Amino acid sequence: MDNFTPLSATAGGIMIGISAIMLMASLGRIAGISGILGGALSLTGGDRGWRVAFLAGLLLPGVVVLAGIAPRPDIDFVANGWLLALAGLLVGFGTRLGSGCTSGHGVCGLARFSKRSLAATATFMAFGVATVFLIRHIL
Amino acid sequence: MRFIWPFFSGLIFSVGLVISGMVNPEKVTDFLDLAGTWDPSLAFVMGGALVTTAIGFRFVLRRPAPLHADRHHLPTSTVITPQLLTGSALFGIGWGISGLCPGPAIAAFPMTLPVIAPFAIGLLAGLVLFQGYERRFARSS
């Protein structure tokens, strides 16, 4: 467990919580990334603008790093090519079918004590653990 | 002016993902790897976010309306459907393969091209596929 970073993890988590509170307090919206991304790509008019603005904010730190203004954080991929594309497909379709991802269900939904979000979070956690076990220890 | 709020909300979310290390797929799969190099950090990220949000929502949702909208848009369904569980299972498999969920994928996107491109293409294809699925099957529900 020498890779364990509890302080920065908790600090980052608190920032994510503050972000979710800001969005609910200002526009009354859940900070669920899959829903925001899906909505930005499908809706038109007044409901699209705030989603695009949120996504622009989400992209900004990466652009700052790309421009060389900030150092690049550690990012190590565990899959690539076709396998990575398959994972993207499963994440895209799955989060929309399941009405949420780690942020919408795992943070905002659980914070509202939603039973649906608890069921969703337990399910994607269990399948995530099983998939990693299969890849790292069986295959 | 009302777009300032979601912009800074997205920005703070993203910085939180970077600081916590959640933009690193290996750190995420290390959390999911209970039998191997287990790294509990992700639980602290979710715990910190969850406690903060739960406290904040208590105050925010008590107000009659948000600052820049007529009401709080909260999910109304309370039924655990096959779609909810199937979708979450598919997501979990994709998450386990890649160590990426939508937030970190978007945050990491600009600084990890072109390696992340297949994930982004797959993700967009998945969203489009769902729109087709929704038009075809989900209208009755």
Side-chain angles (χ1 to χ4, degrees), chain A residues 1-122:
Chain A
M1 275 210 289
D2 50 354
N3 43 11
F4 181 36
T5 52
L7 286 181
S8 56
T10 307
I14 290 171
M15 291 190 73
I16 292 168
I18 291 170
S19 156
I21 296 166
M22 280 174 67
L23 197 60
M24 185 55 74
S26 59
L27 301 182
R29 295 290 183 163
I30 296 279
I33 310 300
S34 58
I36 291 174
L37 182 64
L41 294 171
S42 68
L43 293 172
T44 51
D47 261 0
R48 192 189 239 168
W50 73 267
R51 290 184 167 94
V52 173
F54 184 94
L55 293 173
L58 194 60
L59 283 165
L60 184 61
V63 174
V64 167
V65 169
L66 187 68
I69 299 166
R72 189 177 185 273
D74 284 341
I75 299 180
D76 304 297
F77 281 81
V78 295
N80 52 48
W82 283 106
L83 192 60
L84 194 55
L86 172 70
L89 186 73
L90 290 168
V91 170
F93 186 81
T95 53
R96 295 298 282 154
L97 184 64
S99 308
C101 56
T102 341
S103 51
H105 281 310
V107 175
C108 294
L110 291 186
R112 297 188 305 115
F113 306 101
S114 155
K115 254 187 276 180
R116 267 171 64 86
S117 289
L118 182 61
T121 305

Side-chain angles (χ1 to χ4, degrees), chain A residues 23-29 47, chain B residues 61 63-76:
Chain A
L23 197 60
M24 185 55 74
S26 59
L27 301 182
R29 295 290 183 163
D47 261 0
Chain B
L61 295 177
R63 298 174 60 87
L67 289 172
H68 297 291
D70 52 352
R71 65 184 179 91
H72 299 107
H73 298 261
L74 298 174
T76 49

Side-chain angles (χ1 to χ4, degrees), chain B residues 61-100:
Chain B
L61 295 177
R62 206 179 285 163
R63 298 174 60 87
L67 289 172
H68 297 291
D70 52 352
R71 65 184 179 91
H72 299 107
H73 298 261
L74 298 174
T76 49
S77 172
T78 54
V79 189
I80 295 169
T81 58
Q83 287 92 326
L84 179 83
L85 299 178
T86 309
S88 298
L90 294 175
F91 164 45
I93 296 169
W95 193 38
I97 293 173
S98 63
L100 286 165

Side-chain angles (χ1 to χ4, degrees), chain B:
Chain B
M1 264 309 281
R2 60 192 286 268
F3 291 154
I4 292 288
W5 283 97
F7 175 77
F8 278 101
S9 176
L11 179 60
I12 292 170
F13 197 108
S14 191
V15 174
L17 289 172
V18 171
I19 286 177
S20 64
M22 292 300 108
V23 287
N24 187 357
E26 193 176 63
K27 200 164 175 61
V28 173
T29 47
D30 274 350
F31 169 76
L32 297 171
D33 189 9
L34 302 178
T37 52
W38 191 51
D39 173 2
S41 301
L42 188 145
F44 283 68
V45 181
M46 275 189 78
L50 187 51
V51 170
T52 307
T53 307
I55 295 169
F57 273 19
R58 275 183 73 91
F59 294 99
V60 166
L61 295 177
R62 206 179 285 163
R63 298 174 60 87
L67 289 172
H68 297 291
D70 52 352
R71 65 184 179 91
H72 299 107
H73 298 261
L74 298 174
T76 49
S77 172
T78 54
V79 189
I80 295 169
T81 58
Q83 287 92 326
L84 179 83
L85 299 178
T86 309
S88 298
L90 294 175
F91 164 45
I93 296 169
W95 193 38
I97 293 173
S98 63
L100 286 165
C101 52
I106 298 168
F109 179 75
M111 48 184 154
T112 52
L113 280 169
V115 184
I116 201 170
F119 186 88
I121 294 166
L123 185 71
L124 293 179
L127 297 177
V128 171
L129 198 67
F130 176 76
Q131 285 179 15
Y133 163 88
E134 205 179 24
R135 268 195 297 274
R136 190 153 177 196
F137 298 107
R139 192 162 283 170
S140 56
S141 65

